[in-house]
Amino acid sequence: MRDLALTMSGVEAGYGGGLVLQGLNLELERGTVTCIVGPNGAGKSTVFRVISGLLKPRKGSVLFGGKEIGGLSPGEILRSGIAQVPQNRALFPEMTIHENVLLGGYAIRRDRALLKERLAMVADMVPMVVERAREHAGNLSGGQRRMVEIARALMLDPALVLMDEPSLGLDPKSVAKVAELVRTMATGGRTVLLIEQNVRLGMNLATQGVVMEQGQVRLTGDAAGIADNPEIATMYLGKAGKPTT
Ligand SMILES: Nc1ncnc2c1ncn2[C@@H]1O[C@H](COP(=O)(O)OP(=O)(O)OP(=O)(O)O)[C@@H](O)[C@H]1O
Ligand SMILES: [Mg+2]
């Protein structure tokens, strides 16, 4: 039997009167990387909002570790082990890298020993957060900022990490660093769900590929197969042929 970290079944969700997700089904196997691709407005980020509790599903279920999380608050979902690195989430520029990372451990701030343990774990995965701990986040390059954002998301030791376009706006070297970190997370047993515009990069990192269109999953399967499918490349993925690292 497959060991599923997350199962979404028949999920409907939207904003105001409009429905964006129209019966979405998605299964994530524990310790693997899944990449969602699809055109602008397909509902990719909306899937993340539903998983992280920012948007309540109107129908369907979201099971995390076998437990329904569809009705929980964002705080409860975060503490249950799901962290999100959102699209363009800003760090606090006046605060140091260390302080920014500490914010990710806010929920465990009273447990000094645990906090210390988590800081060590995060430093092991993202060494620059200790190497440059006292520097202001505002002075960092885009790639360095992204690493700090990921480090912050790792502070609660999440079992599932959601990353919305982690390579966006980064130079190739930084993209390679983010990719390496995603691989480290998965080998460490975490489940990673990525949204990527850079299809080659995303499918390279992933084992499972998901193509979304108009609030539904159009295709799901082996990531390598999706990256190589010329029909999909021309139908949905204008940037498929773009060279990547
Ligand atoms: N806060 C909101 N209020 C109203 N409508 C929204 C909101 N956020 C998204 N939408 C709409 O929901 C649909 C899906 O948006 P979503 O952000 O999930 O798409 P996406 O696949 O992530 O697109 P992109 O590739 O541009 O990031 C779009 O039609 C969008 O206009
Ligand atoms: Mg989006």
Side-chain angles (χ1 to χ4, degrees), residues 39-46 49 87 164-165 195 197:
N40 295 122
K44 304 181 296 295
S45 297
T46 302
R49 280 183 211 114
Q87 229 169 347
D164 199 336
E165 305 202 15
I195 294 172
Q197 293 284 351

Side-chain angles (χ1 to χ4, degrees), residues 148-160:
V148 178
E149 287 165 3
I150 298 171
R152 183 168 66 182
L154 288 171
M155 278 297 287
L156 295 184
D157 196 18
L160 172 61

Side-chain angles (χ1 to χ4, degrees), residues 146-147 150 163 166 170 174-183:
R146 188 62 40 83
M147 296 308 273
I150 298 171
M163 303 174 92
L170 302 190
S174 304
V175 170
K177 277 193 180 156
V178 171
E180 193 193 328
L181 194 47
V182 169
R183 290 197 184 96

Side-chain angles (χ1 to χ4, degrees), residues 188-209:
R190 293 179 211 277
T191 308
V192 181
L193 182 58
L194 287 178
I195 294 172
E196 247 318 324
Q197 293 284 351
N198 186 332
V199 177
R200 288 258 157 239
L201 170 77
M203 293 302 164
N204 246 324
L205 273 173
T207 45
Q208 178 181 222

Side-chain angles (χ1 to χ4, degrees), residues 38-211:
N40 295 122
K44 304 181 296 295
S45 297
T46 302
V47 171
F48 277 20
R49 280 183 211 114
V50 168
I51 298 173
S52 59
L54 297 170
L55 189 65
K56 298 264 172 280
R58 294 178 194 167
K59 270 193 191 158
S61 91
V62 184
L63 295 178
F64 175 58
K67 195 174 143 244
E68 179 63 49
I69 58 163
L72 301 185
S73 72
E76 288 169 326
I77 290 175
L78 180 69
R79 287 189 295 278
S80 80
I82 301 179
Q84 186 172 359
V85 185
Q87 229 169 347
N88 307 316
R89 165 97 162 254
L91 297 173
F92 291 90
E94 301 302 323
M95 289 167 58
T96 66
I97 292 174
H98 179 73
E99 288 163 344
N100 270 286
V101 172
L102 265 188
L103 282 178
Y106 188 77
I108 54 164
R109 68 193 177 284
R110 291 201 183 86
D111 190 338
R112 290 274 148 193
L114 183 60
L115 200 58
K116 207 175 153 197
E117 193 182 293
R118 290 291 170 72
L119 278 168
M121 178 200 82
V122 168
D124 203 42
M125 293 178 77
V126 192
M128 68 83 79
V129 303
V130 272
E131 288 158 13
R132 309 184 58 171
R134 306 288 154 212
E135 290 181 42
H136 282 123
N139 297 337
L140 298 176
S141 71
Q144 291 162 340
R145 274 205 299 276
R146 188 62 40 83
M147 296 308 273
V148 178
E149 287 165 3
I150 298 171
R152 183 168 66 182
L154 288 171
M155 278 297 287
L156 295 184
D157 196 18
L160 172 61
V161 182
L162 311 175
M163 303 174 92
D164 199 336
E165 305 202 15
S167 77
L168 194 74
L170 302 190
D171 61 276
K173 245 189 186 162
S174 304
V175 170
K177 277 193 180 156
V178 171
E180 193 193 328
L181 194 47
V182 169
R183 290 197 184 96
T184 307
M185 286 186 217
T187 28
R190 293 179 211 277
T191 308
V192 181
L193 182 58
L194 287 178
I195 294 172
E196 247 318 324
Q197 293 284 351
N198 186 332
V199 177
R200 288 258 157 239
L201 170 77
M203 293 302 164
N204 246 324
L205 273 173
T207 45
Q208 178 181 222
V210 174
V211 181

